[in-house]
Structure formats: C-alpha cells, structure tokens
Amino acid sequence: ANNSNPMFQYVLTDHYHARNPHVAPPGSRHAVASLENSPLYPSSRIMSHWEGYRPPAPGQPSRFTSACSTMMYRDDLLGSELGASILVSEPVHNLIHRRHIHMDGLLMNSSKPESEDGTEFLRSTDSWFRPTTIRTGPDGAIYFADIYRIVIEHPEWINDQKEKELNLREGSDKGRIYRVVRDDTPLRPYSFPAHSDQNQFVRDLTSKNGWVRDYAHMQLVWGKNSPAIDQALETITLGNKSPRARLHALSAISGRGVLSASILLKSFKDQHSEIRRLAVRLSEGFSSGEGASEISKALNQLSRTEQTPQVLLQLAYSLGEFNTAEVAPSLANILHRQGANQYIVSAALSSTSTNSTDVLRHYQKLAADTPATTVFEALLATTLATDDQQSISKLAQQILSPAAGSPNTWHFTALNSVQRLLQQRGTNLAKVLSSPAQQATL
C-alpha cells in the first residue's frame, strides 16, 4: 500500500526472473484498490494540516490520503462476509475502510460492500481519532490502535508557519487500543500452550483463526524432532478436511526438514489449488538427487492438466529449477496452453535460460504454424543471447524444416534474426550449417 492506494498485488516473483536476463517481464504491480474506485465517507470534520490537502467538492466522497495497515480478517467469528475482505486504516479521515476481494484469474480486484455504501466499516465524528495498525486477534476479534493526535501528518508536509503554531505531539498521552466484537457471539480466548506441547500445536493447525495457526506453525518448525509429530502432520496434510490446515501442515513438514517425495506426489493431486501450488514450490528442493525424476514427471503431467492460473504460474517458475528431460516439453506445454497470459508466459520464459532451443523445438510441434509471436520471439532472443553456435545452428535447422510443409512469414523473420546475429560475430548461416561440428549433429 501507499498513502493513496490501499492495496497493491505483486503478481510476479523477482528472483525467478533474474535467471533469464534476456527477456523483460511485464510490469508486476497491480492496483487491487485505487483512488478512482475507493470512495470514502467520513462522518467527521477533516482536520488535515497538509498544505496540499484539498477537500472534495460538496456532495462528493473523499479519497485516500493516508492509507495504511492493509490487512485481511483471518477468522469467521465476526461473520463469514468478512472472510474475503481487506481492512484499511485511513487516519486523516478518521475511519477504517473495508473492501471485498474477488479474483479475476491471477489478479485480485476489490469492491466496496453494498452494505457499506455511503458509509464505512468504522468511522468516528472525532477529528482526533487516528486508527493505524489493524490485526486479527487470537480470540477472533479485530484489534486496532488509535494513536489519537491532532496532527497526523509528518512535519515535512506542513506549512512552516503553521508548523510553528501547532503542538505536533498533542494527544500523545491519549492513544488507545480498540477491540471489535459481536454482541451476540462470545470470543474464543486463547491459552498459550507450553512450548513443549507439540501435540496441542498440531491440533491448533486446524483452528479457524489465522493468528493461532501461524503461532502453532512457528512452534512446530522451531520444536524438537519427533517422529510422532511428523506423522501427525503428515496425517493432516493428506487427510484433514480443512484446506488451511493441510496447507499449514505441508509447510510445517517442510520447515521441519522431513518433507518426502511421497508426500509431495500426493499433494500434487490435492483438491485445493493452494495446496497444489505450495507443493509445486516445495518440489524445488527435490530438483536434483533421489526423487527428481519421479517428481519431474509428475510436474510434466500437471503442465498438461492443471487449470488454475496460480498453480500454473508457480509451475512455470519451479520447472526452471530442474534439469531433467521433462522440463522442455513441460514448459512448451505451458507456453502453448497459456500463450495469451502474459504473466504465465513470462514465468515460463524465466525458466528457459539454459534450454530455450529445446523448449522452442517442442513448442513448434505443439503450436504448428501458428506460434504466438511474443512467445517465439522471446525464446529466440534467449537462444541468440547465449551465443552458443551449436544451439543457433540447431535452431536454424528447425526453422528451415517446418513440420507442416511450406514455411510461413514467421519462419523468414526468425531466419533473418539468426542471420543478423551471426553476421555480428563474423560468420553467416551458410558457414554455420556447413561446419564440421554441425554436420556431425545432422
């Protein structure tokens, strides 16, 4: 978030894209909520000391100027309608704003709940009311801090003369913490187990409360090795009805260093996409050594059958950590199936820095005479950037021998690019194709 935008989503993961510097990824920052679609309805007299503040026109809603502490409510005690919501503090306007989250493929979007049209989740007529940090408590309530100040702005943004007239710290002894509860539902008090009570922490992974699950998860990762606890976590991972519990248990098993290829292979088939996505990411730890081949084959199967964009994005990333025969056809499958999705295509291309020629060969077979231009050009750019003469000549052979008869326009464009690169290196296509090394490969 920033002052004007209450929530951003970063769709891509930077460290994967660093593997292939020859292809630039698309912009990754997506505004889940923005100034334009996030009207505010304060009930107070706005007391802003920022010299650039301009109140809205009469009858018009206000806009975010101090968005902070964006968070999701992680429980169901206050009502299921809060479960897919974000809460955002807006201390300048003396309120807490709520938005519903909904997914559009890989992208998060949000909207103001109809029940709060023209009002807010929480607002005060007190101009000194300055809500800041918001958290879900272990008892299911929502807690937030009100730092309670007359001045909320940093002095840098206040007119120098006005700054001299203000007591910038006025109210500093009046801050408080609020708790939001239901008047018809009791809270669930949490008793901290002893750090040695690992069995209780296993049970707490099934809690409906996100804070409790996180705390239990940490204690299980930090706890002493215990085959009995490891077995209990495996039982939750493979059989509990709660997807959240299965997700935490699988991650805790990995954090304890006892994750096996067998558990991963079963988790690849979990009914919930988030467990499959986590399992794919954790498979990177098995990219070499025992189990790599079997897991690589399972990932290849996912590249053919998986439908959920989030899983496919992670799969496109994680395949690049393997060095097995299945990687190139798997990436080609994803590029062919998801050619119109710029994020998944970019993730797959990040995995092709060492095998772009093989990926292109498999991709050509799948795409026949209609490869996506952006995909083909990116694979070509990666291959040419390696400056590997044998790979370049193999690529030229593929282009010169189209699988479906007569060449298309893109074949000639590709050959022109290859020829241009070779000329920059003091050679040409004819020399490369007639070299002894190349003749030995034909």
Side-chain angles (χ1 to χ4, degrees):
N2 64 28
N3 286 165
S4 301
N5 299 80
M7 187 175 181
F8 290 113
Q9 173 195 10
Y10 285 84
V11 185
L12 301 177
T13 306
D14 284 351
H15 77 268
Y16 289 115
H17 291 276
R19 300 175 303 187
N20 188 355
H22 311 301
V23 179
S28 179
R29 191 173 77 168
H30 167 68
V32 179
S34 64
L35 274 174
E36 290 71 25
N37 69 1
S38 306
L40 300 178
Y41 298 93
S43 59
S44 58
R45 179 175 68 87
I46 304 306
M47 191 181 297
S48 174
H49 304 91
W50 172 41
E51 58 184 322
Y53 177 75
R54 300 293 181 270
Q60 295 300 307
S62 296
R63 302 294 181 186
F64 276 105
T65 63
S66 59
C68 61
S69 194
T70 299
M71 72 135 233
M72 290 187 173
Y73 175 63
R74 300 179 63 208
D75 206 313
D76 63 0
L77 190 70
L78 301 185
S80 58
E81 69 275 8
L82 282 176
S85 295
I86 60 169
L87 298 173
V88 187
S89 288
E90 171 52 49
V92 166
H93 291 83
N94 320 117
L95 58 83
I96 292 178
H97 181 80
R98 179 164 74 102
R99 303 190 67 76
H100 273 313
I101 295 292
H102 42 88
M103 298 300 298
D104 179 13
L106 287 170
L107 301 180
M108 281 185 175
N109 292 310
S110 69
S111 58
K112 191 174 175 65
E114 291 184 7
S115 61
E116 293 167 18
D117 188 26
T119 183
E120 297 294 340
F121 175 77
L122 186 151
R123 60 183 182 173
S124 174
T125 58
D126 186 350
S127 300
W128 286 39
F129 175 72
R130 307 295 193 182
T132 51
T133 303
I134 313 172
R135 291 290 184 270
T136 304
D139 56 5
I142 292 173
Y143 290 79
F144 67 90
D146 170 16
I147 64 172
Y148 206 77
R149 302 290 179 89
I150 186 174
V151 176
I152 191 66
E153 297 83 5
H154 190 286
E156 181 180 349
W157 309 112
I158 302 175
N159 176 276
D160 291 343
Q161 180 56 42
K162 182 179 289 187
E163 183 181 336
K164 296 176 182 178
E165 300 169 0
L166 293 167
N167 177 359
L168 298 178
R169 299 215 19 108
E170 190 170 359
S172 62
D173 60 342
K174 297 179 174 61
R176 54 263 182 113
I177 296 175
Y178 284 96
R179 181 171 66 183
V180 181
V181 302
R182 290 182 68 99
D183 58 9
D184 59 355
T185 306
L187 296 175
R188 307 190 207 97
Y190 180 73
S191 298
F192 285 80
H195 293 303
S196 59
D197 193 353
Q198 298 282 289
N199 287 308
Q200 181 59 51
F201 292 130
V202 170
R203 290 190 289 271
D204 283 346
L205 290 185
T206 64
S207 171
K208 294 180 179 180
N209 182 276
W211 188 98
V212 172
R213 292 194 308 273
D214 287 352
Y215 183 73
H217 188 154
M218 287 189 290
Q219 298 302 322
L220 288 165
V221 171
W222 295 340
K224 294 181 179 179
N225 291 336
S226 167
I229 295 300
D230 296 339
Q231 182 57 53
L233 290 171
E234 182 176 344
T235 299
I236 293 177
T237 299
L238 301 180
N240 195 273
K241 293 181 179 180
S242 167
R244 291 188 181 97
R246 299 200 301 276
L247 190 75
H248 273 280
L250 176 60
S251 184
I253 288 173
S254 175
R256 289 169 67 88
V258 293
L259 181 62
S260 66
S262 173
I263 294 175
L264 274 182
L265 291 169
K266 293 173 182 176
S267 297
F268 288 158
K269 300 177 182 179
D270 195 284
Q271 292 183 347
H272 200 285
S273 60
E274 289 302 322
I275 286 89
R276 298 197 301 275
R277 178 166 74 157
L278 175 62
V280 168
R281 181 168 63 82
L282 295 179
S283 74
E284 295 173 11
F286 294 78
S287 60
S288 60
E290 186 176 354
S293 178
E294 189 175 10
I295 288 177
S296 180
K297 290 176 182 177
L299 295 178
N300 179 262
Q301 181 62 29
L302 277 177
S303 76
R304 301 172 186 273
T305 60
E306 181 60 56
Q307 300 296 322
T308 306
Q310 286 78 6
V311 183
L312 284 168
L313 182 72
Q314 185 59 56
L315 181 61
Y317 280 140
S318 296
L319 282 165
E321 300 299 305
F322 286 77
N323 186 26
T324 58
E326 291 80 17
V327 172
S330 298
L331 290 171
N333 284 331
I334 293 173
L335 288 168
H336 178 52
R337 292 177 58 207
Q338 300 291 319
N341 189 313
Q342 62 173 340
Y343 299 113
I344 295 178
V345 166
S346 181
L349 292 172
S350 78
S351 293
T352 65
S353 58
T354 60
N355 60 0
S356 57
T357 306
D358 289 335
V359 175
L360 183 56
R361 176 168 53 86
H362 288 283
Y363 178 70
Q364 280 185 254
K365 292 178 181 179
L366 293 171
D369 288 333
T370 56
T373 302
T374 54
V375 172
F376 178 81
E377 289 181 351
L379 287 171
L380 179 62
T382 302
T383 298
L384 298 182
T386 63
D387 198 17
D388 179 345
Q389 185 164 305
Q390 185 171 347
S391 295
I392 294 172
S393 59
K394 285 173 64 178
L395 173 62
Q397 284 292 330
Q398 293 172 28
I399 299 170
L400 286 167
S401 306
S406 301
N408 287 330
T409 303
W410 71 266
H411 290 100
F412 295 103
T413 301
L415 282 173
N416 183 58
S417 298
V418 173
Q419 174 75 339
R420 186 171 61 253
L421 177 85
L422 294 175
Q423 287 176 340
Q424 292 172 358
R425 285 154 179 76
T427 184
N428 57 53
L429 195 58
K431 291 180 180 179
V432 168
L433 294 177
S434 62
S435 67
Q438 176 60 17
Q439 290 295 323
T441 66
L442 299 179

